[in-house]
Amino acid sequence: MNKLFTTAALVCALSLGFTSCSKDDDKVEQVKQEYQAKVMVKDGETVDLKKVSKTINTQGTIKRTGKIYSLRNFRQFTIGEDGKATTTAAETFYFDFKENDGISKADFVVSINAKGSNVDFVTNNSKGYTLSYIDKAFDEVKATDEFTAAKNNLLGLQSTYAPNVIGWANYTGSPNHQVLAVANRTIIISKDAKPFFKIRMNSVYENETMNREVAPNNYFFYSIDYQEFK
């Protein structure tokens, strides 16, 4: 009888051991899959998002220099009824700085408007992301700095027509109608009240160059530098 109980106990222990190992293996595999889902950019490398993005409607390049990532000519396109990307630019672009990739509206973390003169940069407060800024050069900004919270988690366009609006860009008005980034204004994205990323908005124009001095029309192609606080 004792021998029977001993054998049963051993079988049970082995069974629990195998189950535990299986769960551990599942966790390792899950972490591995999540890690591989990111767009990886090596130091000194430039990747083409059109080729590597997990979305079908994202365009642009990312270059990494040390800890700083440079997103250039970023834009997204509408998706047709057939589920494929069209050649029509979307009115709002979505990007995940942690993943180095464009995302869908359903996974909204950060959105950037791209319609008319609307360049609103917005974070998703429901997911714990908040927006603030500091008038300090990007390279000098640290996580320990004091930041000013953005009203409604939004930074957009400021101009002489809206003197009380604080944004990341200036609208020059007539006759040139240009949208220009505010010099040395660094955007801060926080996650659960902890500084997460610092952002430098550079330009809304293709290749960061306006195609003409009066009313340029080669937008929106966002140029953004970003770095994670660690």
Side-chain angles (χ1 to χ4, degrees):
M1 182 68 69
N2 290 337
K3 184 176 181 180
L4 179 60
F5 282 134
T6 301
T7 301
L10 179 60
V11 171
C12 182
L14 288 173
S15 176
L16 289 173
F18 287 136
T19 301
S20 177
C21 289
S22 177
K23 288 182 178 179
D24 289 341
D25 289 342
D26 290 343
K27 289 180 180 179
V28 171
E29 181 63 23
Q30 182 178 1
V31 170
K32 183 178 180 182
Q33 289 177 352
E34 291 175 352
Y35 181 77
Q36 290 179 336
K38 299 175 183 177
V39 173
M40 305 301 295
V41 186
K42 298 178 181 178
D43 192 3
E45 179 185 39
T46 299
V47 300
D48 185 345
L49 287 174
K50 193 173 183 179
K51 297 179 179 178
V52 302
S53 176
K54 302 302 177 183
T55 61
I56 62 173
N57 64 328
T58 296
Q59 177 180 298
T61 63
I62 299 179
K63 180 179 179 180
R64 178 184 164 195
T65 305
K67 297 180 181 179
I68 299 175
Y69 292 80
S70 299
L71 176 64
R72 296 293 182 266
N73 291 329
F74 169 63
R75 64 193 330 216
Q76 289 185 307
F77 299 88
T78 60
I79 297 177
E81 295 181 357
D82 59 358
K84 298 180 180 180
T86 70
T87 57
T88 302
E91 295 183 355
T92 306
F93 303 158
Y94 301 93
F95 193 79
D96 188 335
F97 294 98
K98 182 66 176 178
E99 299 291 337
N100 301 321
D101 199 4
I103 54 177
S104 66
K105 182 178 180 179
D107 299 319
F108 167 48
V109 176
V110 171
S111 70
I112 317 172
N113 281 343
K115 179 183 179 182
S117 59
N118 188 347
V119 293
D120 289 350
F121 186 107
V122 184
T123 53
N124 190 343
N125 189 44
S126 66
K127 289 190 175 183
Y129 295 96
T130 53
L131 195 64
S132 56
Y133 69 94
I134 185 171
D135 287 329
K136 186 176 182 180
F138 175 84
D139 293 332
E140 299 176 1
V141 173
K142 300 178 181 178
T144 53
D145 287 335
E146 293 187 10
F147 308 121
T148 301
K151 186 177 180 180
N152 298 322
N153 289 312
L154 181 155
L155 287 171
L157 197 64
Q158 58 187 37
S159 69
T160 56
Y161 307 105
N164 297 322
V165 173
I166 300 296
W168 70 264
N170 282 315
Y171 173 60
T172 63
S174 181
N176 296 330
H177 301 289
Q178 298 171 354
V179 175
L180 305 175
V182 176
N184 293 326
R185 176 163 292 170
T186 301
I187 296 175
I188 307 298
I189 296 177
S190 297
K191 178 71 167 69
D192 300 327
K194 182 179 179 181
F196 192 25
F197 276 91
K198 60 178 179 178
I199 312 293
R200 175 170 57 202
M201 305 294 287
N202 299 307
S203 175
V204 299
Y205 300 106
E206 188 175 15
N207 298 322
E208 300 183 69
T209 304
M210 294 174 289
N211 63 351
R212 59 192 184 196
E213 292 184 1
V214 179
N217 59 10
N218 59 331
Y219 55 83
F220 293 85
F221 295 79
Y222 278 100
S223 166
I224 305 171
D225 294 328
Y226 60 97
Q227 181 179 348
E228 183 177 359
F229 287 117
K230 291 185 177 180

